[in-house]
Amino acid sequence: MPLLDGDDDLWLRRFDGAPPDGVRLVCFPHAGGSASYWFTLSRLLRLEVVAVQYPGRQERRREPLIDTITELSDRVFEVIDRLPPRPTAFLGHSMGAVVAFEVAERLTRAHGTGPEHLFVSGRRGPTVHRAGTVHLQDDTRLVAELRGVGGTDPRFFDDPELLETILPVTRNDYRAVETHHWVPGPPLDCPITALVGDHDPQTSVDDARAWSAHTTGEFGLRVFPGGHFYLDAHRPAVAETITVALAGARTPLTFEEAAS
């Protein structure tokens, strides 16, 4: 059953098995990623899990890509703001963490409060800015970047037709996040939990800890063994972290620990 009517429903994928009440978790994919990335994690959560589907991929592959975080966040906010009322938390990985944060800021400006909880994975806090040039590289170097960070099925690299479909989308998303500059504003009021791999080449533990400056609520940091896509190997632990945090939405959560 669609969550929303008309074009709005193109933006969201709801996975089966959600309980009839409780917190809704909206998941935001990484650069080059799609809603289906979150399916496996959703099976470990007794939540209504809704994944955002950006234009230009999978069943939306014929739609124009959106090449700025600002426009993408505006569009996603408009859709999420029309969802049926229910306590809602956000989870974003890498570029998805940036979009989730920007949408949370828009919700706060519109309604005076943000989501129940914001989970930011594999991404440095907004105040930690580094210039990125991956989107300017040729295809060979872009493929090398994707091989290095993981998260892409290795079979794609040996199939020219598949590469032809994923490289423009990935380059577009890298352009969006690498050229994005956060506009300083008031901190959120919801708890933020940052998750990061201890060998992530894109986000150090200190980079992830910088998210603590962006909330007046509680902050938690959990460090996992692994690189940028640590969560592929640690989905049960990630699911446990989310479940524990949301068991008492808007209640104190304070931890800073390494996960095994």
Side-chain angles (χ1 to χ4, degrees):
M1 179 180 177
L3 281 170
L4 294 166
D5 296 327
D7 292 342
D8 279 0
D9 198 54
L10 295 171
W11 287 86
L12 303 175
R13 297 289 167 268
R14 180 170 59 178
F15 301 124
D16 294 335
D21 53 16
V23 179
R24 170 194 295 127
L25 181 67
V26 179
C27 299
F28 298 74
H30 54 278
S34 61
S36 60
Y37 178 77
W38 298 109
F39 176 75
T40 303
L41 180 64
S42 76
R43 309 307 287 177
L44 302 174
L45 295 165
R46 286 197 50 78
L47 300 170
E48 179 188 30
V49 178
V50 176
V52 177
Q53 186 74 300
Y54 307 138
R57 57 215 78 200
Q58 294 184 332
E59 73 280 3
R60 303 191 71 184
R61 63 187 177 278
R62 292 184 175 85
E63 297 181 42
L65 297 168
I66 295 175
D67 62 2
T68 70
I69 295 296
T70 297
E71 181 182 354
L72 184 59
S73 301
D74 285 343
R75 298 288 299 279
V76 176
F77 162 70
E78 291 168 1
V79 173
I80 288 178
D81 200 38
R82 289 191 285 267
L83 282 171
R86 187 169 185 174
T88 299
F90 292 169
L91 164 63
H93 179 66
S94 196
M95 183 188 84
V98 180
V99 181
F101 174 66
E102 292 276 337
V103 174
E105 287 194 311
R106 285 157 172 75
L107 281 173
T108 302
R109 289 197 295 268
H111 302 292
T113 189
E116 294 292 324
H117 203 112
L118 174 63
F119 299 92
V120 285
S121 170
R123 183 67 189 181
R124 54 189 177 270
T127 55
V128 183
H129 179 73
R130 295 192 186 94
T133 60
V134 173
H135 72 282
L136 299 174
Q137 306 301 319
D138 60 23
D139 286 354
T140 299
R141 293 182 180 180
L142 180 56
V143 168
E145 170 74 13
L146 296 180
R147 287 184 185 274
V149 300
T152 302
D153 188 330
R155 292 174 296 182
F156 280 48
F157 300 126
D158 299 320
D159 188 320
E161 290 186 6
L162 289 176
L163 269 182
E164 190 177 346
T165 65
I166 68 170
L167 289 184
V169 174
T170 304
R171 188 185 304 281
N172 173 86
D173 290 355
Y174 268 90
R175 180 186 302 110
V177 74
E178 289 182 339
T179 60
H180 179 67
H181 295 273
W182 174 64
V183 178
L188 302 177
D189 66 343
C190 65
I192 294 179
T193 299
L195 306 96
V196 66
D198 60 0
H199 290 91
D200 188 335
Q202 297 186 5
T203 304
S204 70
V205 173
D206 283 342
D207 289 344
R209 191 178 290 115
W211 283 101
S212 63
H214 296 277
T215 180
T216 59
E218 298 294 324
F219 175 74
L221 173 66
R222 193 163 190 189
V223 183
F224 294 83
H228 192 58
F229 281 91
Y230 70 88
L231 38 69
D232 290 350
H234 298 287
R235 285 192 181 95
V238 172
E240 180 185 22
T241 299
I242 293 168
T243 299
V244 170
L246 295 182
R250 295 282 180 170
T251 59
L253 170 72
T254 305
F255 60 85
E256 182 167 334
E257 62 183 58
S260 60

